[in-house]
């Protein structure tokens, strides 16, 4: 392995961070632009972005190296956050904010008559995630850096991130997201830490020199995992932690073998196959379930990351694994990296020579698992047959884990074979499958849900048998979002106003935001809050005009639902309300009217037909509503294409009303709800996921609650009669009629038939019509409340002031106190660790 000469004095390389006044930034920027990139000041803005990114990156490097050393000292307990997704978005503005260089950078750019915001908007989003789960991982990394916890993120460096969504004739069209095409200044390739990953082959049992039998995995096809490190900056604390992303690359020996056999082109093909592993992020799509390449990605991440951790361990401790379990914890972000359970067993036994019991003692004390879904159909399963040929050694290990586990179940519940069948990691049936969630639970010391209701429902529903066996393993960790990106960076106007009133501490100590509550009754403050909101609404309106060519008037109520398109999230219910408002306008029922601009955004999984139909419906309804002269600005509807992190940075500060309208008991937590709340939006929502905790925090008077509760949903299914609901509710009858008669599909007959049928079906799992009346009534209360400006402003301020609980700093502190048990490693000026000279 790559090792620095121990004689060499590492301090020689410790150059100081470059000066950070605007002169220094301006001159570095100019140098990068001209000497390094060979461009000039008036070049394409992309190069200006690149030069500025390199300039800022220079101001990260020393602290990054220093942080790594602090976390790498002997005896430091560390956590590794394993996730197939990190939805980072843009980085430049975030680093500038965290380093405290906003003013200096702005000044430096102004010297060249350049606009900082324009330059920052050149950066392409790092879209390495589908939605909530991936963005949560990115917010977690931010909070870990802020809290100075020794945590390393491990993920995959996909060549293509989440697809780019275009809208053609109202339909979603997917385009590849080649985000690395122009290079990525935020990554550092570390080929010296590459690892070998094996696939296929077969398992042989050999007897070693001490007469012990051992398994060897032979005849494998191998792939290299090359790490790329991405810096994660803490907020003004000289702490830069690491997100290590793996990229697949062909091994040279693999190529050579083929080459010697005389087939050059096949050798190159093999190289291609290897590199395919990290080519594309899989969309969260049932029709993609069971794809071989996705399983390869999952194993690739698990194996590369574990090997990396074991290498660092041996660098510090040698081959003594006695204290490994007290110094290391692996966190599994959903079941996606769960193969880590079996892979750690394999590495410890087959590569490090440990016996089963010792390896299991370590593994089961080092793994922790977070579940993110309550939908049984979304639980990951893989065919045993796929494992047999792709990961034969792991399958053996999983069988053994299961056999030992089922013996334990049988001891606890003798004779209860039903229960053994239910709890088995292997699902028997026509196709035998591996239940990844069960493997994760059996292999972990902690299992958590992501909101109070969700965790409760896991224990008494989905994972009930396991809860009965190991109640102490189960716990809740309510999600959060980082206030740095989602308030300080995304909403500078509001941030300045908050800071003026309560000081600056709230950014890193978000509980302090509560002090803002005192100003809700101050009319002068309310007016300023209003002015900030209006400016943010204008920014959002400009964006809507740019992407949708729909004009939003900032005096109207901005009503927003942005999230992945899914039936359980019920964008359809939102559309029923829009159609109802349209119907009211058409029949002249507009007394006490509140003008509304409704914005919807989100991606549908490419194979999810219903979700794609919903997008088409939104666009068709928008076409009718926006072009009807009788509507005349009373109502607007727009679908914003390609919703993602950087769009949300403009959307959430400009929103008045946040739509969180999932069928109760289906949304594990939701996190957009928190971003909206922090930015002073009021929520209309069901009693679901984190909405419940949001309402607890802000109070019923500042939240528009509607709909069935989770327990009622279960009962309702038995008696659900949508036909009767339609018959008995005139508003609903009229809405359904407009839909059925083709009012929104004039030259496209029957395209919405499937959607209409699903709404009318007694078997509708999402009970959309059951909540129609209560939703419409709640929306009416919203409209009235919005007409009383000071009342609305009070609610808005209360929402921000009560959002203290929803910072990921709080979430991560709970993970740390309850699960990881790490010690913060603040930078200490005196003893900035110069002792460890090994680069590990
Ligand atoms: C699985 C197998 C094959 C291909 C893709 C997938 C896959 C990928 C992503 C399955 C699920 C996801 C993402 C799930 C997700 O984002 N869940 C959301 O997690 C949030 C953070 O905890 C919660 O707030 C949301 O409620 C939950 O829906």
């Amino acid at each position: 392995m790559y090792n620095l000469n121990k004689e060499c004095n590492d301090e020689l390389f410790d150059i100081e961070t470059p000066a950070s006044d605007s002169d220094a930034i301006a001159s570095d920027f100019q140098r990068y632009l001209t000497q390094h990139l060979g461009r000039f000041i008036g070049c394409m803005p992309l190069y200006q972005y690149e030069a500025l990114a390199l300039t800022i990156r220079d101001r990260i490097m020393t602290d990054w190296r220093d942080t790594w050393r602090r976390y790498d000292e002997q005896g430091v307990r560390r956590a590794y956050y394993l996730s197939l997704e990190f939805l980072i978005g843009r980085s430049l503005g975030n680093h500038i904010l965290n380093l405290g260089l906003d003013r200096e950078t702005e000044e430096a750019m102004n010297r060249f008559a350049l606009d900082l915001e324009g330059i920052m908007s050149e950066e392409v989003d790092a879209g390495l995630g589908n939605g909530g789960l991936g963005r949560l991982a990115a917010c977690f990394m931010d909070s870990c850096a802020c809290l100075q916890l020794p945590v390393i993120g491990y993920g995959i460096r996909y060549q293509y991130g989440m697809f780019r969504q275009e809208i053609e004739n109202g339909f979603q069209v997917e385009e590849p997201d080649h985000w690395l095409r122009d290079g990525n200044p935020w990554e550092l390739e570390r080929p010296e830490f590459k690892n070998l990953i094996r696939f296929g082959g077969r398992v042989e049992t050999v007897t070693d020199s001490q007469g012990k039998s051992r398994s060897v995995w032979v005849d494998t096809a191998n792939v290299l995992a090359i790490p790329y490190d991405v810096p994660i900056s803490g907020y003004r604390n000289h702490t830069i932690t690491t997100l290590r992303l793996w990229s697949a690359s062909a091994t040279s020996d693999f190529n050579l073998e083929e080459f010697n056999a005389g087939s050059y082109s096949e050798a190159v093909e093999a190289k291609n196959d290897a590199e395919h592993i990290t080519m594309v992020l899989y969309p969260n799509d049932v029709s993609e379930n069971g794809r071989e390449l996705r399983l390869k990605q999952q194993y690739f991440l698990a194996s590369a990351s574990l090997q990396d951790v074991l290498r660092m361990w041996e660098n510090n401790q040698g081959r003594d694994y006695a204290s490994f379990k007290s110094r290391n914890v692996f966190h599994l972000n959903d079941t996606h990296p769960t193969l880590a359970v079996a892979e750690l067993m394999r590495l410890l036994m087959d590569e490090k020579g440990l016996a089963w019991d010792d390896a299991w003692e370590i593994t089961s004390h080092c793994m922790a698992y977070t579940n993110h879904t309550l939908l049984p159909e979304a639980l990951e399963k893989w065919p045993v047959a796929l494992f047999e040929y792709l990961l034969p050694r792991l399958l053996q290990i999983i069988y053994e884990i299961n056999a030992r586990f089922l013996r334990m179940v049988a001891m606890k519940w003798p004779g209860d074979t039903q229960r053994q069948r239910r709890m088995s990691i292997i699902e028997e049936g026509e196709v035998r499958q591996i239940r990844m969630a069960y493997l994760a639970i059996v292999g972990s010391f902690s299992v958590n849900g992501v909101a109070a209701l969700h965790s409760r429902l896991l224990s008494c529903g989905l994972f009930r048998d396991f809860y009965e066996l190991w109640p102490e393993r189960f716990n809740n960790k309510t999600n959060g979002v980082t206030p740095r990106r989602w308030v300080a960076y995304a909403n500078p106007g509001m941030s300045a106003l908050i800071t003026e009133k309560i000081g600056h501490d709230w950014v890193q100590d978000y509980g302090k935001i509560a002090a803002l509550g005192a100003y809700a009754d101050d009319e002068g403050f309310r007016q300023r809050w209003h002015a900030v909101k209006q400016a943010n609404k204008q920014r959002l309106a400009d964006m809507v005009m740019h992407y949708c060519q729909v004009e939003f008037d900032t005096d109207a109520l901005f009503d927003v639902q942005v999230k992945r398109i899914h039936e359980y999230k019920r964008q359809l219910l939102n559309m029923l309300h829009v159609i109802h408002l349209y119907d009211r306008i058409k029949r002249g029922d507009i007394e006490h009217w509140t003008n509304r601009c409704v914005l919807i955004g989100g991606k549908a999984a490419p194979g999810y037909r219903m979700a794609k139909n919903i997008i088409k419906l939104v666009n068709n309804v928008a076409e009718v509503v926006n072009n009807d002269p009788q509507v005349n600005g009373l109502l607007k509807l727009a679908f914003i294409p390609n919703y993602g992190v950087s769009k949300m940075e403009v959307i959430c500060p400009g929103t008045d009303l946040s739509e969180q309208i999932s069928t109760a008991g289906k949304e594990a937590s939701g996190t957009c709800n928190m971003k909206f709340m922090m930015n002073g939006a009021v929520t209309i929502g069901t009693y679901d996921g984190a909405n419940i905790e949001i309402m607890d925090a802000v109070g019923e008077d500042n939240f528009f609650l509607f709909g069935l509760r989770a327990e009622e949903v279960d009962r309702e299914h038995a008696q659900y009669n949508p036909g009767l609901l339609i018959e008995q509710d005139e508003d609903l009858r009229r809405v359904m009629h407009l839909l059925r008669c083709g009012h929104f599909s004039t030259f496209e007959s029957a395209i919405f038939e499937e959607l209409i049928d699903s709404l009318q079906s007694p078997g509708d799992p999402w009970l959309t019509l059951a909540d129609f009346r209560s939703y419409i009534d709640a929306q009416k209360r919203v409209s009235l409340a919005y007409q009383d400006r000071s009342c609305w402003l009070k609610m808005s301020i209360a929402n921000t002031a009560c959002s203290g609980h929803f910072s990921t700093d709080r979430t991560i502190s709970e993970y740390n106190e309850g699960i990881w048990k790490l010690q913060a490693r603040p930078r200490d000026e005196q003893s900035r660790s110069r002792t460890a000279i090994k680069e590990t």
Side-chain angles (χ1 to χ4, degrees):
M1 102 139 228
Y2 180 84
N3 219 334
L4 282 177
N5 180 350
K6 288 200 187 220
E7 300 300 305
C8 111
N9 186 347
D10 206 30
E11 278 178 45
L12 291 176
F13 297 103
D14 279 332
I15 47 143
E16 288 300 315
T17 294
S20 285
D21 54 285
S22 54
D23 288 336
I25 291 174
S27 101
D28 281 7
F29 170 75
Q30 188 166 32
R31 182 175 47 80
Y32 270 121
L33 200 60
T34 55
Q35 330 266 79
H36 182 81
L37 299 173
R39 303 303 199 289
F40 56 98
I41 294 297
C43 65
M44 279 164 59
L46 178 67
Y47 297 112
Q48 298 165 356
Y49 157 71
E50 215 175 308
L52 185 58
L54 292 169
T55 304
I56 297 301
R57 199 181 77 163
D58 285 352
R59 284 146 178 87
I60 284 177
M61 283 297 176
T62 306
D63 285 339
W64 193 5
R65 204 182 150 104
D66 191 60
T67 305
W68 186 272
R69 284 199 204 133
R70 245 188 296 147
Y71 291 180
D72 196 38
E73 273 172 35
Q74 283 219 356
V76 174
R77 179 173 163 86
R78 297 196 298 195
Y80 313 97
Y81 198 78
L82 270 52
S83 177
L84 271 280
E85 306 191 2
F86 287 90
L87 221 182
I88 298 166
R90 291 178 179 149
S91 290
L92 176 57
N94 196 240
H95 286 306
I96 290 175
L97 170 84
N98 286 344
L99 302 187
L101 300 178
D102 347 22
R103 201 175 38 79
E104 293 79 356
T105 311
E106 179 118 44
E107 267 175 39
M109 293 303 99
N110 288 345
R111 268 181 226 192
F112 305 104
L114 295 174
D115 162 45
L116 178 57
E117 214 183 297
I119 293 177
M120 292 194 307
S121 67
E122 285 297 310
E123 182 172 0
V124 286
D125 277 33
L128 309 183
N130 272 283
L133 166 151
R135 183 54 230 177
L136 184 75
C139 284
F140 277 8
M141 291 308 294
D142 177 276
S143 283
C144 289
C146 250
L147 298 169
Q148 304 184 299
L149 295 175
V151 176
I152 300 173
Y154 280 109
I156 291 184
R157 179 180 178 270
Y158 301 103
Q159 298 280 332
Y160 293 86
M162 189 60 196
F163 66 82
R164 198 160 41 76
Q165 178 193 55
E166 288 186 2
I167 301 297
E168 284 177 19
N169 184 30
F171 290 103
Q172 165 175 301
V173 176
E174 300 91 24
E175 296 289 341
D177 162 47
H178 198 179
W179 70 293
L180 291 167
R181 189 170 36 212
D182 297 315
N184 174 12
W186 304 115
E187 65 180 17
L188 210 56
E189 186 182 356
R190 309 298 301 267
E192 63 272 37
F193 302 133
K194 63 176 185 274
N195 285 314
L196 194 73
I197 316 296
R198 304 137 174 273
F199 293 98
R202 62 206 157 72
V203 184
E204 283 181 354
T205 312
V206 297
T207 311
D208 67 13
S209 49
Q210 285 127 45
K212 278 198 292 190
S213 86
R214 229 162 44 85
S215 295
V216 267
W217 188 5
V218 297
D219 286 347
T220 52
N222 302 335
V223 177
L224 287 176
I226 314 283
Y228 286 71
D229 286 354
V230 178
I232 308 288
S233 52
Y235 187 74
R236 301 185 188 178
N237 62 2
H238 292 280
T239 296
I240 312 286
T241 59
T242 301
L243 171 58
R244 184 160 276 185
L245 301 179
W246 299 101
S247 180
S249 166
T251 58
S252 44
D253 54 321
F254 195 50
N255 279 334
L256 209 61
E257 255 170 50
E258 301 265 358
F259 190 59
N260 289 340
S263 50
Y264 172 74
S265 49
E266 276 166 44
V268 176
E269 248 171 63
K271 179 175 158 63
N272 227 327
D273 281 352
E275 291 171 5
H276 267 143
I277 292 180
T278 53
M279 191 66 78
V280 63
L281 165 75
Y282 272 86
N284 172 12
D285 194 334
V286 262
S287 71
E288 295 278 350
N289 262 348
R291 294 295 273 268
E292 177 176 331
L293 197 57
R294 167 78 182 182
L295 184 63
K296 280 182 152 183
Q297 290 182 339
Q298 297 186 349
Y299 177 65
F300 179 82
L301 169 67
S303 182
S305 311
L306 289 169
Q307 289 187 55
D308 199 46
V309 172
L310 297 189
R311 176 184 56 77
M312 291 188 283
W313 176 261
E314 292 191 4
N315 263 328
N316 269 332
Q317 314 278 331
R319 287 184 66 110
D320 177 7
Y321 280 86
S323 60
F324 185 87
K325 69 171 189 200
S326 61
R327 301 280 154 77
N328 297 283
V329 53
F330 299 93
H331 205 100
L332 309 175
N333 195 22
D334 215 309
T335 50
H336 314 156
T338 293
L339 279 174
V341 172
E343 175 67 358
L344 185 54
M345 290 297 289
R346 184 188 74 82
L347 289 168
L348 291 175
M349 294 189 302
D350 300 358
E351 313 265 319
K352 310 298 176 194
L354 271 65
W356 179 280
D357 289 335
D358 297 329
W360 185 249
E361 178 69 14
I362 291 174
T363 302
S364 57
H365 284 87
C366 286
M367 299 279 165
Y369 156 57
T370 298
N371 170 284
H372 295 266
T373 184
L374 279 159
L375 307 181
E377 66 270 26
L379 288 185
E380 230 185 324
K381 290 176 197 169
W382 291 99
V384 166
L386 191 55
F387 268 70
E388 227 144 49
Y389 92 89
L390 214 53
L391 302 164
R393 178 62 183 137
L394 280 103
L395 182 60
Q396 287 184 340
I397 292 171
I398 292 170
Y399 277 151
E400 183 64 25
I401 292 173
N402 195 39
R404 289 170 185 246
F405 167 63
L406 289 180
R407 278 204 287 277
M408 193 182 146
V409 173
M411 297 257 275
K412 170 130 184 169
W413 291 285
D416 192 347
T417 51
Q418 272 309 321
R419 191 185 288 260
Q420 284 177 48
R421 178 185 294 273
R422 282 203 309 271
M423 295 181 80
S424 173
I425 295 171
I426 310 293
E427 181 179 271
E428 303 293 340
E430 217 165 293
V431 215
R432 299 177 71 230
Q433 307 218 77
I434 301 180
R435 297 161 162 160
M436 300 304 273
Y438 293 3
L439 177 59
I441 298 172
V442 172
S444 299
F445 66 90
S446 166
V447 177
N448 74 280
V450 291
L453 172 72
H454 171 227
S455 298
R456 251 196 332 272
L457 292 176
L458 284 181
S459 302
C460 67
L462 217 47
F463 298 153
R464 185 191 190 123
D465 288 324
F466 290 88
Y467 178 71
E468 285 174 4
L469 182 59
W470 294 310
E472 69 289 348
R473 261 182 217 195
F474 287 78
N475 62 91
N476 172 248
K477 297 286 171 282
T478 298
N479 282 168
V481 303
T482 169
R484 266 77 59 189
R485 180 177 292 264
W486 296 111
V487 184
Y489 169 67
N491 199 342
M494 195 179 97
S495 298
L497 183 54
I498 297 172
T499 297
E500 184 190 314
K501 292 295 174 192
I502 67 170
H504 190 261
D505 284 358
W506 62 272
V507 180
Q508 51 200 318
D509 185 359
Y510 195 66
K512 292 216 161 95
I513 198 70
L516 201 67
Y519 296 89
D521 290 321
D522 172 341
E523 181 55 29
F525 180 79
R526 284 202 296 249
Q527 283 319 313
R528 294 184 64 194
W529 190 262
H530 177 69
V532 168
K533 184 56 102 179
Q534 287 305 109
N536 289 332
K537 287 172 78 170
Q538 189 57 57
R539 213 160 99 85
L540 174 53
D542 293 344
M543 190 169 87
V544 170
M545 177 51 83
H546 181 261
Y547 288 104
C548 321
Q549 292 79 50
V550 176
E551 192 175 344
F552 274 16
D553 175 356
T554 57
D555 286 333
L557 172 77
F558 280 19
D559 170 349
V560 180
Q561 184 176 24
V562 284
K563 48 182 79 235
R564 288 302 291 262
I565 310 290
H566 201 294
E567 289 164 283
Y568 84 80
K569 296 178 187 279
R570 295 200 299 194
Q571 283 91 357
L572 260 185
L573 182 58
N574 190 339
M575 290 317 300
L576 296 182
H577 174 242
V578 171
I579 296 171
H580 164 70
L581 291 181
Y582 171 73
D583 178 49
R584 276 184 57 192
I585 296 170
K586 295 302 280 181
R587 60 178 204 244
D589 173 19
I590 54 169
E591 233 189 318
H592 308 299
W593 188 264
T594 300
N595 291 355
R596 272 196 201 232
C597 296
V598 180
L599 183 66
I600 296 182
K603 294 175 185 176
Y608 189 175
R609 214 180 42 247
M610 281 296 219
K612 292 182 129 175
N613 286 339
I614 293 172
I615 293 176
K616 173 64 174 165
L617 176 67
V618 175
N619 283 305
N620 278 21
V621 173
E623 195 64 27
V624 171
V625 167
N626 299 335
N627 294 308
D628 186 329
Q630 206 183 334
V631 174
N632 191 25
L634 297 174
L635 177 64
K636 289 284 173 76
L637 174 62
F639 184 88
I640 184 140
N642 201 35
Y643 168 68
V645 174
S646 55
K647 294 255 166 60
M648 186 56 164
E649 288 162 4
V650 179
I651 293 170
C652 64
T655 295
D656 294 311
L657 183 67
S658 152
E659 300 268 354
Q660 307 301 334
I661 59 178
S662 51
T663 311
K666 303 298 178 193
E667 187 71 271
S669 162
T671 42
C672 290
N673 45 5
M674 303 169 183
K675 293 163 201 165
F676 284 120
M677 181 197 199
M678 283 184 179
N679 283 281
V682 183
T683 305
I684 181 165
T686 46
Y687 212 65
D688 195 19
N691 295 353
I692 298 174
E693 288 153 85
I694 287 178
M695 194 178 89
D696 276 352
V698 75
E700 275 179 67
D701 295 345
N702 299 308
F703 188 106
F704 294 92
L705 180 69
F706 75 95
L708 297 174
R709 309 226 166 175
E711 324 80 72
E712 296 168 331
V713 162
D714 291 336
R715 284 199 295 273
E716 180 72 13
H717 276 298
Q719 50 173 68
Y720 186 49
N721 187 346
L724 194 65
L725 290 168
I726 296 171
E727 200 183 298
Q728 291 176 346
D729 187 321
E730 177 171 6
D731 289 335
L732 180 54
R733 206 160 62 231
R734 295 180 61 97
V735 168
M736 292 307 294
H737 173 73
L738 280 172
L739 271 173
R740 269 190 301 240
C741 76
H743 194 81
F744 306 106
S745 46
T746 320
F747 300 108
E748 302 166 303
S749 68
I751 48 168
F752 298 130
E753 210 146 282
E754 217 181 341
L755 286 184
I756 298 168
D757 286 349
S758 78
L759 286 172
Q760 293 177 342
S761 160
D764 174 15
W766 323 112
L767 299 176
T768 304
L769 299 191
D771 283 343
F772 175 82
R773 181 39 48 196
S774 131
Y775 181 54
I776 299 296
D777 292 346
Q779 288 285 22
K780 207 168 236 168
R781 286 186 274 127
V782 169
S783 289
L784 285 178
Y786 191 71
Q787 288 178 4
D788 181 346
R789 179 181 289 176
S790 32
C791 147
W792 187 272
L793 285 167
K794 249 195 233 180
M795 285 199 286
S796 168
I797 297 164
N799 267 275
T800 302
C802 298
S803 65
H805 188 64
F806 303 102
S807 162
T808 33
D809 298 347
R810 187 270 313 152
T811 310
I812 287 297
S813 300
E814 288 181 9
Y815 272 91
N816 192 40
E817 275 151 34
I819 303 172
W820 301 341
K821 307 201 187 293
L822 311 171
Q823 245 154 24
R825 306 281 298 166
R827 187 173 76 146
D828 170 357
E829 277 303 333
Q830 275 81 51
S831 64
R832 280 176 67 180
S833 39
R834 295 279 188 263
T835 43
I837 61 166
K838 284 182 300 183
E839 273 275 290
T840 58

